Amino acid sequence: MTQTTAAQSLGAWLKEADRCVSTWEARWGPYEPHPSLRVDHEALSASYEVYVNRLTGNYPFFHPRYAGQMLKPPHPVAILGYLTAMRINPNNHALDGGPPTAAMEKEVVIELAKMFEFPINALGHLTSSGTIANLEALFVSREEHPDKTIAVSQEAHYTHARMGHVLGVSVENIAADTNGRMDLEALEKALRSQKIGTVVLTAGTTGLGTVDSIAEAIPLCQQYGARVHVDAAYGGFFRLLKRSEILDPVVAKNLDAIKDADSVVLDPHKHGLQPYGCGCILYRDPKMAKHYLHDSPYTYFTSEDLHLGEISLECSRAGAAAGALWLTLQLLPLSADEGLGPILSSCLEAAQRWHAALEDTPLRSWGKPELDIACYYPEAKPNSVSAIDRASQALFENSMSSTMNPVFLSVLRVQSADLRARIPDVEIDQESVRILRSVLMRPEQANFAESLVDSLVGFVQSHVR
Ligand SMILES: *Cc1c(COP(=O)(O)O)cnc(C)c1O
């Protein structure tokens, strides 16, 4: 078999997609599209030119020098899968909306459940996003424990507090340690009140990429009768590497423990190589379907099979999203040794090399990355929080705006007390401090880490002078 980078041949495959869908369309007999749908070719050319020009205003998310937020383009195979199905535009709300992509959704959900070692009959479906998937998890939590609260770490994604508000459930904040990990003593103290119905743990915090102490927290929650929901939107796929040397053994143990959670959320549109519009919610207990029951007067009529719309809060959802994920997993399976595993492993390597490259530079690592997010800050004079804050912002602006050699970063705001845990004699003259954050989601970045850090050091030195 020939190995091609799918990107090189995407153009040819898109022609093939057009041919296949056109052949299928032709089966139904010829017809003329309505004149009202016609557009003028020259007008399209002109508008399209404006369109693509405006799109050049994006940061180069695909490129190794983009080490900013959690985003990258989909894999070419996902693009092919998505565009092919999108031509047909199936709706995975109901089986009638697209029987083949609904079947593919059920298949990929089983694959994802297997990745977490959830039972084979676990309940789950794709969603438009991690936000919606978490909303559904918290909705089920509320239905299971209507009079209780939801506990989330102060480092959890802000969506949990927001969705608690949407659902009318009170959300309790649990302190985190200086590495962004939920403090289990604080959790136990809160659990003792007997008011907590569900605890949200995070596998890969959005800020630092920290994995909560899931293995210890789950038995603790069970002891107090609380449900456990794991928000693994970002970090869930790294569970594939739980036996790999590249993952810290404690992190591996905590990712392993997700198998004992009541529900878990995963974002295939983050580390699953998919375009936006692909989140996933899984429940260990299939009986949770009862909370979704509803009557619909018009959608379900061709079969008695389970309709995804019966177990989802969303109605219309892109069948193309399920199709794209299905096709991607055929070629890049959920495995440690092939497919997704080696991709994720290189991302971890990128973050670890970034961390190591900071040594003996004026940049200091926030700590060894647990996943593929590296955080760091410049040394500053005077040795105060405000000076470090200003130096971080200056480095961010200089490296982002460089025309010759830009490095795209993000800024993270952390508590000054957490900085003091790293610099004991730092003067605390403001409550929080900005540091720098690099999400290294591109496997190519393993070979770029040192040179990107070099560029940043250059920006620090030119700024100091
Ligand atoms: C990205 C993310 C979310 C939100 O998911 P969206 O897909 O952006 O809606 C929630 N939790 C965590 C941990 C995330 O990383």
Side-chain angles (χ1 to χ4, degrees), residues 271-343:
H271 256 306
L273 310 171
Q274 301 306 298
Y276 285 121
C278 196
C280 178
I281 170 72
L282 297 165
Y283 301 95
R284 132 179 315 287
D285 182 355
K287 289 200 293 294
M288 294 304 124
K290 67 180 183 226
H291 298 303
Y292 288 95
L293 283 183
H294 66 286
D295 281 322
S296 164
Y298 27 70
T299 41
Y300 314 132
F301 48 84
T302 53
S303 97
E304 293 292 305
D305 282 359
L306 176 69
H307 289 266
L308 292 158
E310 286 175 283
I311 53 160
S312 168
L313 290 186
E314 291 177 89
C315 295
S316 297
R317 280 185 305 110
L325 182 56
W326 184 91
L327 186 65
T328 306
L329 295 184
Q330 302 307 301
L331 292 126
L332 298 157
L334 298 171
S335 147
D337 314 316
E338 51 167 343
L340 223 56
I343 298 173

Side-chain angles (χ1 to χ4, degrees), residues 244-260:
S244 156
E245 302 232 307
I246 189 138
L247 206 57
D248 175 84
V250 175
V251 173
K253 187 182 74 173
N254 287 319
L255 292 173
D256 179 57
I258 298 175
K259 65 177 185 292
D260 298 318

Side-chain angles (χ1 to χ4, degrees), residues 70 127-134 155-160 201-207 231-235 265-267 269-270 276-279 437:
M70 292 175 167
T127 60
S128 296
S129 67
T131 302
I132 298 295
N134 277 307
E155 287 297 312
H157 196 282
Y158 68 85
T159 188
H160 297 286
L201 302 171
T202 306
T205 57
T206 314
D231 181 357
Y234 190 72
V265 157
L266 178 77
D267 259 350
H269 68 205
K270 285 194 185 132
Y276 285 121
C278 196
R437 167 175 168 269

Side-chain angles (χ1 to χ4, degrees), residues 65-71 408-410 437-439 442 445:
R65 63 169 75 245
Y66 185 84
Q69 307 282 5
M70 292 175 167
L71 69 159
F408 301 97
L409 311 173
S410 56
R437 167 175 168 269
S438 286
V439 180
R442 281 144 287 268
Q445 284 173 322

